[in-house]
Amino acid sequence: MDTKSLRFKIIDGLYIAMMIIPVIIGIVIQVLTKPESSGITITGARIFFTIPMPIQNLLITEAQLNSAVVIVVILGICLFMTHGLSKDIKLKRQHLAEIIVEKIDAMVNENMGEYFKGFSPFIIAILALSGLSSLMSLLGLFPPTSDINIVAGWAILVFILITYYKLKGGFLSYLKGFTEPIFVMTPLNILGEIATPVSMAFRHYGNIMSGSVIAVLIAVALQGLSNMVLGWLPGALGDIPFLQMGIPAVLSLYFDIFSGCIQAYIFAMLTMLNISGAFPQDEFEKRMKKKLAKKEKVLQINN
């Protein structure tokens, strides 16, 4: 497709709108629905409405809405980055897309091995979803990573994948793993299995949530300190929280950007290491060889 054509530019504009409009909608909903408050307010995700369900009612919360916003934004970014790809690189975005793909492929290959080379899209999805969810706080929106339900859902998905690849070595081999190195360790091994998704969820949630709490507490403390130290200034100057200017923004660079991106990277690394570490490659290869031998034997009998 000609990158200079009107049609190409219109499609590009639609993809850019897909990245921007959901965020604007999220901000508008935040402004219209957030109740007024004074002082320190640290709460979880607000519940917008409830859908009656047979077993348990489904709560539609602020975290779910903002997660949907992040997913649509990621879709828009992917469509924009891959629009106009060609063998002869014409766009700077293609350079960037290829660099990202190469880096993720190298990271997956280094931490998981050749067998898991198809995991690159899954890992980049985790990085993007977690990182952008944490960065939502920069826009004044509730970050989905501050909701334990969201992060626990990711951890459960990873746990299902861990169990799936453990079963690649056979069900008996999977059960035998709970008795190693000795049989009396079975209860502890079962607890360790359950602890994997729990620790992944609480580590990610705890770091993001604690950063938000600390940032709010410091901002309020600086406001009080400013009134105490500079409250003697005449007129309206005494009411201006001078000490609150700038410092919370600097802290936001750490808690919202640096810490959020680091936690996304850690969650992705734990995902790769736990899944690849759970895969019993030797047992799997033995099973494959036995199946292949059986097939060859059946073919010989039939012939």
Side-chain angles (χ1 to χ4, degrees):
M1 182 185 294
D2 185 3
T3 58
K4 295 182 180 180
S5 68
L6 178 61
R7 179 170 174 269
F8 185 90
K9 292 178 180 178
I10 291 174
I11 295 175
D12 262 2
L14 291 174
Y15 293 153
I16 293 172
M18 188 182 293
M19 295 181 245
I20 297 174
I21 291 176
V23 177
I24 294 175
I25 292 173
I27 293 174
V28 170
I29 293 174
Q30 170 81 355
V31 171
L32 294 177
T33 60
K34 188 174 182 179
E36 294 184 3
S37 61
S38 60
I40 301 175
T41 56
I42 300 173
T43 61
R46 290 176 293 127
I47 300 173
F48 289 127
F49 57 91
T50 303
I51 300 176
M53 301 293 285
I55 299 176
Q56 183 177 352
N57 291 338
L58 176 63
L59 305 178
I60 304 302
T61 68
E62 195 174 10
Q64 291 171 315
L65 175 66
N66 291 344
S67 290
V69 169
V70 172
I71 290 171
V72 175
V73 170
I74 292 174
L75 176 60
I77 293 172
C78 292
L79 292 173
F80 179 77
M81 294 288 288
T82 57
H83 185 216
L85 294 181
S86 61
K87 293 182 179 179
D88 300 324
I89 301 177
K90 299 179 181 179
L91 301 170
K92 292 181 180 179
R93 76 183 77 160
Q94 185 169 343
H95 283 287
L96 180 59
E98 291 185 357
I99 290 172
I100 293 172
V101 170
E102 289 173 0
K103 294 295 183 182
I104 296 299
D105 284 344
M107 186 170 69
V108 171
N109 185 61
E110 180 180 353
N111 292 286
M112 302 186 76
E114 184 68 19
Y115 181 81
F116 293 94
K117 62 182 180 181
F119 256 72
S120 294
F122 182 71
I123 298 303
I124 188 61
I126 288 177
L127 286 168
L129 186 58
S130 176
L132 291 181
S133 293
S134 298
L135 294 176
M136 294 286 279
S137 58
L138 293 174
L139 302 173
L141 298 174
F142 182 86
T145 43
S146 291
D147 189 339
I148 185 61
N149 298 291
I150 299 294
V151 185
W154 303 348
I156 290 171
L157 175 59
V158 172
F159 179 68
I160 291 172
L161 288 172
I162 292 171
T163 305
Y164 171 77
Y165 280 98
K166 276 189 176 182
L167 289 170
K168 286 278 188 177
F171 186 69
L172 293 178
S173 176
Y174 173 72
L175 293 178
K176 183 182 176 182
F178 289 107
T179 64
E180 295 176 349
I182 53 177
F183 182 77
V184 294
M185 295 294 291
T186 300
L188 291 178
N189 288 333
I190 293 174
L191 287 175
E193 191 81 357
I194 298 172
T196 298
V198 174
S199 64
M200 289 183 69
F202 276 96
R203 179 185 288 108
H204 197 306
Y205 160 76
N207 280 283
I208 300 299
M209 188 60 186
S210 62
S212 301
V213 172
I214 291 171
V216 171
L217 292 176
I218 290 176
V220 174
L222 287 172
Q223 183 180 13
L225 182 62
S226 181
N227 292 334
M228 183 186 301
V229 176
L230 302 174
W232 56 268
L233 292 173
L237 289 175
D239 297 328
I240 299 175
F242 288 102
L243 297 181
Q244 201 179 30
M245 296 178 183
I247 297 177
V250 174
L251 291 175
S252 179
L253 292 176
Y254 174 78
F255 290 120
D256 295 332
I257 300 177
F258 179 75
S259 181
C261 293
I262 286 294
Q263 291 308 314
Y265 176 75
I266 291 173
F267 194 90
M269 286 295 296
L270 289 174
T271 297
M272 290 187 288
L273 295 176
N274 284 328
I275 292 176
S276 60
F279 178 55
Q281 188 167 357
D282 293 338
E283 293 293 330
F284 177 72
E285 290 177 353
K286 288 179 182 178
R287 289 187 69 199
M288 293 299 100
K289 287 180 180 179
K290 287 181 180 179
K291 286 184 177 180
L292 183 60
K294 286 181 180 179
K295 286 182 179 179
E296 291 178 350
K297 188 175 182 181
V298 170
L299 289 173
Q300 290 175 358
I301 293 172
N302 292 334
N303 293 333

